[in-house]
Amino acid sequence: MPKGEELFELMENDLHLREAVEEWALFLARGVYSVISMFDPQVVLIGGGISEQGENLSATR
């Protein structure tokens, strides 16, 4: 199974993979929003491979 960064590279040429990653990103965003709504934190930190995707992750809309 490819690692996260490989998936972001592969999704450029694979429509089905791109749709799956976009759906995953939507679920991630909803989860982060829920945590913010419940706990009202001053800061939300996302680390690891997700945070390293920058442009790739913001392009999944």
Side-chain angles (χ1 to χ4, degrees):
M1 180 143 92
K3 295 187 180 224
E5 59 189 33
E6 293 172 10
L7 285 176
F8 281 96
E9 290 175 13
L10 292 171
M11 75 178 201
E12 294 176 10
N13 300 318
D14 187 334
L15 178 62
H16 297 292
L17 178 59
R18 182 171 187 78
E19 289 174 351
V21 170
E22 287 176 351
E23 185 174 4
W24 167 82
L26 178 63
F27 288 134
L28 175 65
R30 287 180 180 169
V32 171
Y33 177 80
S34 294
V35 169
I36 291 170
S37 295
M38 287 188 295
F39 300 108
D40 193 25
Q42 292 182 350
V43 176
V44 176
L45 300 176
I46 298 177
I50 295 171
S51 65
E52 295 174 0
Q53 291 309 311
E55 279 298 313
N56 289 330
L57 192 56
S58 64
T60 58
R61 295 182 194 189

